[in-house]
Amino acid sequence: LLDVDNSRVELETGERIGFDAAVLATGLKARIPEVEGADLPGIFTLRNLSDAISIKQYIRQNAVRRVVIVGAGFIAFEMCEAFRTLGLHTTMLYRKQVPLKRLGETFALKLVDVIRARGVRFVPGADISCFEQEAGGGLRVHSGAGEYGSDLVLIAIGAAPDTGLAETTDVALGQSGAIAVNERMQTNHPFVYAVGDCCETFHRVLRKPFHLPLGDVANKQARVAGANIGGGSASFPGVIGSFCFKVFDTEVAGTGITEQEAGEADLPARAVTVRAPNRPQEYPGSEEIGLTLVAEKGSGRILGARAVGGRGTVARVNILAAAITANLDVEQLAQMDLAYAPPFSAARDVVHIAASEWKKA
Ligand SMILES: Cc1cc2nc3c(=O)[nH]c(=O)nc-3n(C[C@H](O)[C@H](O)[C@H](O)COP(=O)(O)OP(=O)(O)OC[C@H]3O[C@@H](n4cnc5c(N)ncnc54)[C@H](O)[C@@H]3O)c2cc1C
């Protein structure tokens, strides 16, 4: 319990601890489908290290061979690799047709191909209706696309800010449902701070509060709160929405906003998608990078990018994150003096090509 009026917290044991400043860092809570059997043994979510240890122990102790992953977000894709590395038969059930909406259909379907090529069964249109115990000890997962037997189920359908503690008092929530904070990471009570996945942040491209539950964001926010509590004066300028993950050998990354998000924010935008090798084609180990670049019509200001491909894909998106932060336009990007040598890139990098193509389109 958070007792703001008396500046103290109350533990489950009944113990009360007073404070001059409090920091809410309660993270997220995993979403669980509201269907029968969702609490059966062998069904897990993955939010923290203890969950990962429990999953590993369960696999070892129960001679798990078959795994069903429910959901198709970044954690689901990363876990495909983990389960396949353990040699487990892995099935991913997804309720819609195309996962990872922010990547766009082409890149998302490429990732589906990547996991299928590594032996993962990807099943679209598979909304879960219930889980039941199999006679032999396994689990039966009933979905809109049929029934699947499994020894372990991982539910990875997303997570919501854990605002349980904030809601024991009158700490205000923002529109996203996460705790509202200012740039000093203060809630509506100046001596109660919130950081990390449980709170909102400011989106610097969309110019509005936004919920981006990622570890690097949490880290920066926590340092700002700590500095302010310690008597300093620090501000967190917000995020532009950068993210990355890996699916087997394929790198995936994005930053800024998509054309759709630009449209919803009344920002006139246009996107181009290009494909180019990460190194000169004749250089050994050359791999393709697919890159979509979004920029504002008229000004050419860079608004967003997303990319899927071989080694160096994330590094390209980080160039674009810097470009967005510095308010650069496609002309400046096309001429940007990036470091070049054949082991690392082509003389005309995929980033330059995307900027030139955007100008032509
Ligand atoms: C599988 C996985 C992979 C990830 N990969 C990446 C990645 O590659 N890059 C990236 O940037 N981010 C990644 N993340 C996200 C990143 O882990 C989180 O953004 C980060 O941990 C957030 O830190 P936090 O302190 O806000 O919350 P958490 O680390 O979730 O910590 C919150 C803690 O608060 C505790 N708590 C909640 N309520 C109470 C209460 N009432 N009393 C006491 N304690 C409470 C919780 O039990 C928990 O221990 C990943 C997350 C997962 C699950």
Side-chain angles (χ1 to χ4, degrees):
L1 186 85
L2 178 62
D3 179 356
V4 173
D5 292 336
N6 295 303
S7 295
R8 67 189 181 201
V9 284
E10 193 174 314
L11 307 188
E12 274 172 358
T13 55
E15 187 188 347
R16 289 172 176 169
I17 301 172
F19 60 76
D20 297 319
V23 181
L24 299 174
T26 47
L28 300 178
K29 50 178 188 288
R31 288 205 170 93
I32 310 280
E34 286 174 15
V35 298
E36 208 177 309
D39 55 354
L40 284 171
I43 301 183
F44 292 86
T45 56
L46 176 57
R47 285 294 334 138
N48 50 43
L49 188 59
S50 324
D51 293 338
I53 291 168
S54 305
I55 291 170
K56 264 195 128 167
Q57 270 172 356
Y58 192 89
I59 289 172
R60 257 200 311 270
Q61 289 166 1
N62 295 277
V64 166
R65 286 184 308 104
R66 306 164 300 167
V67 173
V68 164
I69 300 174
V70 179
F74 85 92
I75 290 176
F77 273 84
E78 288 181 332
M79 287 304 289
C80 278
E81 181 173 349
F83 290 136
R84 288 300 295 144
T85 305
L86 293 174
L88 306 178
H89 295 283
T90 306
T91 301
M92 191 193 272
L93 303 182
Y94 180 53
R95 69 192 169 101
K96 295 188 187 164
Q97 293 299 313
V98 182
L100 303 164
K101 189 173 161 215
R102 297 195 77 246
L103 285 183
E105 185 165 326
T106 310
F107 290 166
L109 292 179
K110 182 176 166 62
L111 291 177
V112 170
D113 288 344
V114 167
I115 59 169
R116 281 183 169 152
R118 299 297 189 115
V120 175
R121 178 164 53 168
F122 176 82
V123 186
D127 207 6
I128 302 302
S129 48
C130 71
F131 301 95
E132 64 176 2
Q133 200 91 55
E134 274 181 341
L139 292 158
R140 196 114 204 110
V141 185
H142 295 256
S143 84
E147 293 176 24
Y148 297 86
S150 185
D151 304 314
L152 182 150
V153 173
L154 176 68
I155 294 179
I157 58 168
D162 189 340
T163 52
L165 187 57
E167 287 176 79
T168 60
T169 177
D170 61 345
V171 169
L173 306 184
Q175 281 210 335
S176 66
I179 299 168
V181 286
N182 63 17
E183 70 285 353
R184 291 171 57 84
M185 306 312 303
Q186 290 163 307
T187 66
N188 53 320
H189 295 283
F191 55 97
V192 178
Y193 294 73
V195 299
D197 289 1
C198 67
C199 75
E200 288 186 336
T201 186
F202 181 71
H203 197 296
R204 297 171 68 174
V205 182
L206 293 171
R207 313 294 306 163
K208 65 173 192 184
F210 194 78
H211 183 228
L212 186 70
L214 285 175
D216 58 324
V217 178
N219 190 309
K220 291 184 197 116
Q221 291 175 331
R223 285 165 194 277
V224 167
N228 289 330
I229 291 167
S233 181
S235 297
F236 183 58
V239 298
I240 58 170
S242 305
F243 66 90
C244 64
F245 59 98
K246 181 173 94 68
V247 183
F248 294 96
D249 294 333
T250 300
E251 296 185 14
V252 188
T255 186
I257 60 174
T258 63
E259 312 82 291
Q260 193 184 335
E261 287 164 337
E264 287 161 7
D266 284 333
L267 277 170
R270 189 154 52 76
V272 288
T273 298
V274 298
R275 285 178 183 73
N278 60 354
R279 300 163 173 168
Q281 245 150 3
E282 54 286 358
Y283 194 89
S286 171
E287 298 167 309
E288 186 181 87
I289 295 177
L291 174 71
T292 297
L293 177 68
V294 183
E296 188 176 36
K297 282 185 190 162
S299 72
R301 179 171 66 110
I302 299 156
L303 298 175
R306 49 195 187 268
V308 169
R311 187 180 296 188
T313 299
V314 175
R316 270 43 173 222
V317 168
N318 277 335
I319 295 168
L320 291 156
I324 293 170
T325 306
N327 266 319
L328 300 189
D329 60 34
V330 284
E331 184 61 47
Q332 290 164 308
L333 186 63
Q335 299 299 345
M336 191 180 278
D337 183 16
L338 299 174
Y340 157 68
F344 308 105
S345 70
R348 234 175 137 241
D349 191 71
V350 62
V351 164
H352 297 131
I353 296 170
S356 304
E357 290 302 314
W358 192 93
K359 285 196 296 170
K360 278 193 233 156

